[in-house]
Amino acid sequence: MSKLEKFRELGLSEETISAIAKKGFEEPSQIQALTIPKLLENTIDIIGQAQTGTGKTAAFGLPIVERIIPGKGFVQALILVPTRELAIQVAEELSSFRGNKDISILPVYGGQSIDTQLRRLKKGVEIVVGTPGRVIDHIKRRTLDLSQIGYFILDEADEMLNMGFLEDIEIIFATTPKEKRTLLFSATMPTRIQKLASNYMPKYELLKVKAKLTADLTDQIYFEVHEASKLEALCRIIDIESEFYALVFCRTRNKADDVARKLSDRGYEAAALHGDITQHQREKILNSFKRKRINILVATDVAARGIDIDDLTHVINFSIPQNPEAYVHRIGRTGRAGRQGTAITFITPSEFRKLMRIQQQTKVEIRKEKLPKVKNVISKKRERVIAEITNILENGNFEDNLPISYELLAKYNADNVIAALMTHAYKDEFSITKYASIDEPSARSKRHPNENYALEENGKTRLFIALGKSDGMDPRKLIDFIQKNAKVDARNIRGLKVFDNFSFANVPFEDAEIIIQTFRNKGRNNKPLVTKAKEKSDSPDRSDRRSDRPKHRR
Ligand code: AMP
């Protein structure tokens, strides 16, 4: 019990401590250590900057369960969350903290029968965890009375704003009493959140944590792969792993459908989850996934919100996330609850800069790795099947099949019999023909060191500039010209090649954005004067052949 002492020191009661012991928590997480004493002692409002996986639910949940007066039968705390899954999850987590206290906790969300919710609300509820839309429904029907709440909590506030719930939150807030504590939790703090906070909390304390309970348990790697080879790459990764229980993220619904269908066609247990899927289907799919009937869920970011499964082995970014926040959110789904997880990002050569930006902003190390080779994948699969068969041989349970064995061995030799049985059971599973070859961009870039992606590997962008010798340019003049107009550091402009009518230069990608913006309508007919160069566009044999300006200028 000595470890739980740290929870005791935060001011929690023995009843709550024993509920925590049952959950198996050993010591408070960072956000819990910061938040719990504040919530138990004084009355200041709090903003907690913490993402999923930091233990934020317990950070507000434990003190609230502690402070609610049991058996009163009226709503004392409202927790607003972005999704129905999160509503259920938060309600379950809070329920696990209440011990024997007579505290009723109700999740309310769209999609569930409103009658069931009405009955529970009528009977009396102390804590409501709801999505904004359904909470408003109840307020309008006068079935939810928030006039006596002591706690108003916005959980995953940034997600709620992203989903367009601002107005709903405002309507709900207006029905709450003046005297209450407001708590806001958000993984990110964009200006919109700060504005929301200052509207609701005249005075608040900002508590910030970075460390997730489990951050160090997620291994983060990336593979450079062409779009067309991603599926093949994914299959190799799945096949080389002895355990694969994963969320695969795709940018669009169509892509998610396409990937899930192709995986199913190749014999994997996969399903797609996205916005076009009905609530009923969604629940069915999530259920199968939780029970591991399917082990691969291919989802869009929106559809994956609120999915909370602790034992995922992998998160795959089939499409690179749109921004660093999305990356953090996606990969936070693995490496949880003390389990090791792997986050894999596929990038196409032109996405290297995006990956660098994610790496810089999230301050994580994303390691480059090479895709597993087919022969290694197959030998791993063989090892596994041999281990499984050895296990059966050593532990029995095959006697019923011995008559088949005798019959076959009477006619054929043992080597052939076993091989035929393998074909019967596994078809072409161990054949290299099952896998297509993958044209790896990194291998190509060695052969063509001038290609763009080779340059982008150093975080640089190759620029095409529609000015050349015929405009009086030489490398020095071109650098001066760019530097003067775009105000970027001249030392960063490298690799200049000046041809008759156009030129190329390498610049860090941040500078590239600035330069392209600066010259966006400075070309002929207000067209861009500088654009990103296309692959191989500076290979002299091509450009020399052309007397006019190349197609880039569009
Ligand atoms: P959350 O960030 O609230 O989504 O919590 C993530 C997971 O960590 C949940 O499964 C919690 O039950 C678990 N958890 C919360 N606090 C602790 C703790 N102090 N020690 C271990 N696990 C925890």
Side-chain angles (χ1 to χ4, degrees):
M1 267 281 177
S2 69
K3 276 193 172 165
L4 287 178
E5 205 47 50
K6 288 198 179 151
F7 275 112
R8 222 170 255 121
E9 282 166 9
L10 300 180
L12 294 165
S13 70
E14 281 313 308
E15 195 163 2
T16 308
I17 299 286
S18 65
I20 292 172
K22 273 200 193 127
K23 291 214 47 124
F25 296 0
E26 293 185 333
E27 54 180 14
S29 72
Q30 232 182 329
I31 188 80
Q32 289 160 6
L34 286 171
T35 317
I36 294 173
K38 296 239 150 76
L39 282 177
L40 290 177
E41 281 161 19
N42 51 37
T43 55
I44 193 157
D45 290 340
I46 285 174
I47 296 187
Q49 183 167 1
Q51 63 192 64
T52 308
T54 51
K56 67 183 163 60
T57 315
F60 65 78
L62 288 167
I64 284 178
V65 168
E66 185 95 36
R67 283 287 178 259
I68 293 282
I69 311 163
K72 281 283 181 194
F74 61 84
V75 182
Q76 297 171 54
L78 172 71
I79 300 150
L80 285 181
V81 296
T83 65
R84 58 196 103 213
E85 279 85 13
L86 199 60
I88 297 169
Q89 190 188 309
V90 169
E92 280 174 356
E93 181 96 342
L94 294 190
S95 301
S96 72
F97 300 144
R98 72 190 152 172
N100 296 322
K101 286 185 191 155
D102 179 18
I103 296 176
S104 174
I105 301 165
L106 180 69
V108 305
Y109 50 89
Q112 192 201 35
S113 142
I114 202 154
D115 290 337
T116 320
Q117 293 170 4
L118 286 177
R119 267 198 304 277
R120 288 280 310 272
L121 284 167
K122 243 194 189 144
K123 269 175 72 186
V125 166
E126 276 78 27
I127 303 176
V128 168
V129 187
T131 51
R134 187 50 75 91
V135 166
I136 288 193
D137 279 353
H138 282 294
I139 292 174
K140 284 188 180 149
R141 287 164 175 252
R142 297 184 188 283
T143 47
L144 177 60
D145 176 13
L146 299 178
S147 65
Q148 298 186 75
I149 63 164
Y151 297 91
F152 180 67
I153 295 138
L154 298 164
D155 193 12
E156 302 209 352
D158 48 356
E159 286 294 331
M160 287 202 278
L161 293 197
N162 286 345
M163 290 170 83
F165 283 140
L166 179 62
E167 209 176 308
D168 288 357
I169 294 172
E170 280 168 350
I171 296 171
I172 296 166
F173 190 79
T175 72
T176 62
K178 209 163 181 286
E179 283 300 313
K180 66 175 175 302
R181 289 186 88 165
T182 302
L183 317 175
L184 182 153
F185 289 85
S186 187
T188 56
M189 283 295 150
T191 340
R192 296 191 309 154
I193 293 285
Q194 289 167 24
K195 237 169 93 187
L196 182 77
S198 53
N199 282 346
Y200 295 160
M201 312 179 205
K203 237 177 99 187
Y204 61 78
E205 194 159 341
L206 174 65
L207 306 173
K208 233 177 174 173
V209 300
K210 278 219 188 86
K212 290 192 357 172
L213 276 161
T214 50
D216 49 342
L217 289 174
T218 301
D219 193 21
Q220 299 173 47
I221 57 187
Y222 77 91
F223 294 107
E224 234 185 4
V225 51
H226 290 296
E227 190 63 42
S229 302
K230 283 184 179 176
L231 193 87
E232 196 60 37
L234 178 58
C235 292
R236 287 192 195 176
I237 291 164
I238 300 172
D239 289 353
I240 204 160
E241 293 291 347
S242 50
E243 205 194 341
F244 191 82
Y245 181 44
L247 265 174
V248 175
F249 283 96
C250 291
R251 191 164 303 150
T252 64
R253 296 168 187 196
N254 286 349
K255 192 82 207 169
D257 266 338
D258 184 51
V259 171
R261 198 187 54 249
K262 286 181 175 147
L263 286 172
S264 301
D265 288 348
R266 285 179 69 146
Y268 300 102
E269 302 297 337
L273 198 72
H274 53 65
D276 284 344
I277 282 166
T278 64
Q279 184 55 24
H280 177 68
Q281 274 174 305
R282 182 181 162 89
E283 273 164 25
K284 261 176 76 176
I285 294 168
L286 281 176
N287 221 342
S288 312
F289 189 56
K290 278 191 185 142
R291 294 163 68 184
K292 302 194 179 165
R293 291 236 182 100
I294 52 174
N295 64 324
I296 307 169
L297 196 59
V298 188
T300 56
D301 290 274
V302 176
R305 274 184 198 137
I307 295 178
D308 184 58
I309 294 175
D310 274 340
D311 52 348
L312 293 180
T313 60
H314 291 76
V315 164
I316 310 282
N317 294 316
F318 197 91
S319 319
I320 193 171
Q322 295 289 47
N323 50 51
E325 284 81 20
Y327 179 82
V328 169
H329 222 260
R330 285 179 179 187
I331 70 147
R333 309 302 173 71
T334 190
R336 298 174 71 163
R339 290 182 186 86
Q340 182 75 47
T342 308
I344 292 177
T345 304
F346 287 159
I347 61 158
T348 60
S350 63
E351 286 168 339
F352 188 78
R353 288 166 298 134
K354 221 173 186 173
L355 183 82
M356 288 296 106
R357 202 171 306 145
I358 290 172
Q359 189 157 283
Q360 279 166 1
Q361 289 192 20
T362 55
K363 304 199 167 43
V364 295
E365 197 213 329
I366 311 175
R367 204 174 67 246
K368 178 171 178 164
E369 277 203 4
K370 281 200 163 305
L371 284 169
K373 295 215 166 6
V374 173
K375 67 174 197 300
N376 297 340
V377 174
I378 290 175
S379 79
K380 267 274 170 334
K381 289 209 292 194
R382 280 194 196 134
E383 271 172 34
R384 278 203 299 275
V385 89
I386 290 171
E388 281 162 23
I389 293 172
T390 310
N391 187 26
I392 297 175
L393 283 169
E394 285 174 1
N395 296 306
N397 231 355
F398 55 82
E399 288 78 5
D400 288 352
N401 291 322
L402 278 173
I404 302 178
S405 190
Y406 298 144
E407 202 172 327
L408 288 166
L409 288 171
K411 274 202 205 162
Y412 303 99
N413 78 33
D415 298 4
N416 289 345
V417 168
I418 293 174
L421 279 173
M422 298 308 290
T423 306
H424 180 70
Y426 295 99
K427 309 217 160 44
D428 63 348
E429 200 62 43
F430 304 100
S431 156
I432 51 164
T433 55
K434 194 178 148 67
Y435 297 91
S437 66
I438 294 179
D439 178 19
E440 280 185 53
S442 47
R444 276 212 300 142
S445 66
K446 273 193 202 105
R447 270 181 264 136
H448 302 280
N450 271 345
E451 277 179 349
N452 266 349
Y453 39 76
L455 297 162
E456 288 195 342
E457 255 190 73
N458 309 322
K460 297 245 170 145
T461 299
R462 187 93 169 130
L463 293 177
F464 167 82
I465 305 137
L467 291 171
K469 288 181 196 151
S470 62
D471 303 291
M473 285 296 169
D474 61 25
R476 188 68 253 158
K477 283 188 181 147
L478 196 61
I479 291 176
D480 286 349
F481 176 75
I482 296 172
Q483 189 262 333
K484 242 167 83 193
N485 285 282
K487 312 265 181 296
V488 294
D489 189 339
R491 285 168 303 183
N492 287 341
I493 309 170
R494 295 280 173 90
L496 279 106
K497 274 192 187 170
V498 181
F499 296 99
D500 280 350
N501 296 315
F502 51 88
S503 312
F504 293 96
N506 294 335
V507 297
F509 61 77
E510 300 90 346
D511 290 346
E513 302 299 327
I514 299 169
I515 296 168
I516 290 169
Q517 271 305 312
T518 308
F519 295 108
R520 88 183 166 278
N521 49 16
K522 299 280 159 58
R524 245 183 241 157
N525 303 326
N526 284 340
K527 290 208 170 130
L529 188 71
V530 181
T531 54
K532 280 183 199 165
K534 295 200 171 154
E535 271 186 32
K536 291 189 194 170
S537 49
D538 60 339
S539 90
D541 50 11
R542 273 196 188 184
S543 41
D544 286 347
R545 244 183 278 139
R546 265 185 220 126
S547 55
D548 57 351
R549 298 181 181 214
K551 287 200 184 100
H552 296 97
R553 303 210 52 220
R554 255 167 288 168

